[in-house]
Amino acid sequence: MASLPGAKAVHTIVLDAGPLLQNEPSISSLLAQAEVLLTVPAVLAEIRDAVARARIELTWRPFLTVRDPKPASVKCVADFARLTGDYEVLSRTDLLVLALAYEVECERNEGGWRLRRVPGQARINGPAPAPQRPPGAEPGAGEAEVEEEEEGRPLPAMDDGCAAKSEGDAGLHQGDPTQKTDPDRGKASTALDQPSAEIRGLDRSLATLTLSPETPPPPPLDPSDNESDGWITPSNIQKHLQHAHAGPSSSPRTAGARSQAPVLQVATLTTDYAMQNVLLQMNLNLLSGSLQRIRYLKSFILRCHACFARTKDMSKQFCARCGLPTLRRVSCSTSAAGEFRIHLKKHMQFNTRGDRYSIPKLVPGSANTRVNAGGGGKGGGQGGWGQALLLAEDQKEYQRAVRDQERVTRTMRDLMDEDHLPALVTGARGRTGAAGRLKIGAGRNVNARKRK
């Protein structure tokens, strides 16, 4: 669908909770680039902050269209997310937003012909549907203009020789009406006498060609225009800034082509990486916070270097397949063609320091066989370093530590409080790392020689 003069870059934008909470982009920027703003009721229900809800009700709600997707759309998106591996990290609200984008895309484009059924599909589902004209309908504006142009175009003028020959032929046939002619010969002569379509078109072009001796010569080309086209100068900085905030196509070199660029029927605006990955692999349009179209996405996942399993849940510390703490963060990318690729180092050397060590002997008479409650809490090696060893995900000590960490996070004091001191200053960091993750195993320096 070609864009009309004055048409907006996107017809419908489906919004997630991220742009509403961050107010980026603003509602005025969205209305300048889109005709319709859509969201689901679950997105508005997720916003619990009183100030944010008041701002959304005042500035966003009058321009938002709230709509629920159909169950069939939710099932289709959920099945696709299972194939990409993002289903386990997508919430119910995320699936509803994806389903709404999929449903409106099918409505605006008369089906899901431009989408993909499975990740990595080489081609789209099918060609675009041809516009059908109902029987008895009048031709469109383009067809009417072509017909009027053909009717109003003047016929090429004939020279004197052709005119005399035509008059002589007409007089010959009129003067001898009883002359018999061969029908086959007449057809052949008629076919030879009639010029081809290419010759007729050339004659028309030559007939309409006019030369004016007063035509001014073309102005000389300025070499500085081509040299300064790609440079930002004080004279064209405002032009570059306007193109940068103009919409999905923001290159100054494509300013003339932007008016002819097709209008995006449906696009989704979200800050969730899992949702962005599903959108790109389904071939749904995706916008960034600056209303630029995203065609390439780079994010991170966890990959087990022991069994090569992958997970999108970045809070995991143990592999779900082999159960070992061998998950490593790796970068991955998704292209506009739906290709999902993991980027690994060519000569990666894993640090095995501290992987092998001796576990302290079991302490009889204790529930966890590590701490002797009757003996004054002794056990677990010298200094009790093995009393709280975390070795597996289903270990009760690990489950208890996870619950305690979640409770501390929920009850954490406000960082803007004047009496609050960070854990780095107070030294009360416990057994959590710099990123708030639990310490698995005995650490890297478990086999280091102790000084006497």
Side-chain angles (χ1 to χ4, degrees):
M1 177 180 177
S3 61
L4 300 176
K8 298 182 179 180
V10 188
H11 183 274
T12 303
I13 294 182
V14 182
L15 297 174
D16 193 17
L20 298 179
L21 286 173
Q22 300 174 3
N23 198 25
E24 179 66 30
S26 61
I27 183 63
S28 58
S29 301
L30 288 174
L31 293 177
Q33 297 294 331
E35 300 284 349
V36 182
L37 302 180
L38 276 180
T39 189
V40 294
V43 169
L44 300 179
E46 280 186 347
I47 303 173
R48 300 180 180 179
D49 183 60
V51 178
R53 289 187 66 89
R55 175 176 54 80
I56 292 173
E57 289 292 334
L58 180 62
T59 60
W60 288 80
R61 193 63 181 87
F63 307 100
L64 280 178
T65 303
V66 182
R67 171 180 169 183
D68 273 322
K70 298 179 182 178
S73 303
V74 178
K75 182 180 181 303
C76 181
V77 171
D79 294 342
F80 194 92
R82 287 189 180 95
L83 297 177
T84 60
D86 297 289
Y87 182 78
E88 58 183 4
V89 294
L90 289 175
S91 63
R92 178 178 175 273
T93 304
D94 297 339
L95 290 175
L96 291 177
V97 173
L98 293 174
L100 181 60
Y102 169 78
E103 183 175 318
V104 180
E105 174 76 21
C106 295
E107 293 177 359
R108 295 291 305 174
N109 291 299
E110 300 180 2
W113 54 270
R114 60 176 300 274
L115 305 180
R116 300 186 182 95
R117 295 189 179 93
V118 293
Q121 183 177 338
R123 299 180 179 179
I124 57 179
N125 293 337
Q132 299 180 358
R133 188 174 64 184
E138 298 181 357
E143 300 177 2
E145 291 177 0
V146 172
E147 293 177 359
E148 292 178 0
E149 184 179 357
E150 292 292 339
E151 293 178 359
R153 182 176 297 173
L155 295 177
M158 295 187 297
D159 54 0
D160 298 338
C162 294
K165 184 177 180 181
S166 301
E167 292 176 0
D169 293 343
L172 177 62
H173 290 291
Q174 291 177 2
D176 192 4
T178 60
Q179 185 179 2
K180 296 181 180 179
T181 59
D182 189 2
D184 297 335
R185 183 179 177 181
K187 294 180 180 179
S189 62
T190 304
L192 292 175
D193 293 340
Q194 291 180 353
S196 61
E198 183 178 358
I199 298 177
R200 290 198 303 269
L202 182 60
D203 293 341
R204 292 177 181 176
S205 302
L206 293 175
T208 57
L209 181 62
T210 58
L211 296 177
S212 177
E214 299 179 358
T215 303
L221 297 177
D222 188 5
S224 61
D225 295 342
N226 297 332
E227 295 178 358
S228 62
D229 189 14
W231 297 89
I232 299 179
T233 60
S235 60
N236 62 3
I237 185 172
Q238 296 297 332
K239 178 181 178 182
H240 279 269
L241 290 176
Q242 292 176 3
H243 291 318
H245 300 282
S249 56
S250 60
S251 175
R253 297 178 181 268
T254 58
R258 184 185 299 111
S259 59
Q260 304 297 332
V263 176
L264 296 180
Q265 297 299 316
V266 183
T268 307
L269 184 58
T270 178
T271 56
D272 188 270
Y273 285 110
M275 294 179 63
Q276 292 178 355
N277 184 47
V278 174
L279 289 169
L280 281 184
Q281 296 201 42
M282 287 190 70
N283 202 27
L284 290 169
N285 299 321
L286 176 64
L287 297 181
S288 64
S290 58
L291 296 181
Q292 307 294 318
R293 186 176 179 183
I294 299 177
R295 299 180 182 270
Y296 182 84
L297 179 65
K298 183 178 180 181
S299 59
F300 297 91
I301 62 172
L302 293 178
R303 178 178 177 269
C304 177
H305 66 83
C307 65
F308 310 114
R310 298 175 297 182
T311 178
K312 301 291 183 69
D313 191 356
M314 302 301 292
S315 63
K316 289 281 187 179
Q317 292 186 267
F318 293 92
C319 177
R321 179 183 294 177
C322 63
L324 299 177
T326 52
L327 293 177
R328 297 292 182 269
R329 194 183 76 156
V330 296
S331 62
C332 59
S333 61
T334 305
S335 64
E339 298 176 354
F340 180 79
R341 182 173 299 179
I342 298 178
H343 306 280
L344 303 176
K345 293 183 179 180
K346 188 175 182 180
H347 302 289
M348 176 63 182
Q349 295 293 332
F350 293 99
N351 188 4
T352 59
R353 181 181 179 184
D355 287 352
R356 296 185 179 182
Y357 53 90
S358 299
I359 298 179
K361 294 181 179 181
L362 303 181
V363 179
S366 61
N368 60 358
T369 66
R370 295 181 182 181
V371 181
N372 187 3
K378 297 180 180 180
Q382 185 179 3
W385 66 271
Q387 294 181 1
L389 273 180
L390 304 179
L391 304 175
E393 189 174 9
D394 57 351
Q395 187 179 350
K396 61 180 181 180
E397 287 83 5
Y398 177 77
Q399 300 293 338
R400 185 184 302 113
V402 170
R403 290 194 298 269
D404 293 343
Q405 187 182 27
E406 292 178 354
R407 183 174 61 255
V408 170
T409 303
R410 288 195 304 267
T411 59
M412 185 180 295
R413 305 176 68 176
D414 188 7
L415 296 177
M416 303 303 295
D417 190 357
E418 297 179 356
D419 299 330
H420 173 73
L421 293 176
L424 182 63
V425 177
T426 59
R429 288 184 292 175
R431 300 185 62 85
T432 59
R437 300 170 67 87
L438 297 176
K439 180 182 178 181
I440 305 300
R444 297 292 184 187
N445 301 323
V446 61
N447 296 323
R449 182 175 298 181
K450 308 295 183 182
R451 293 184 179 181
K452 295 183 180 179

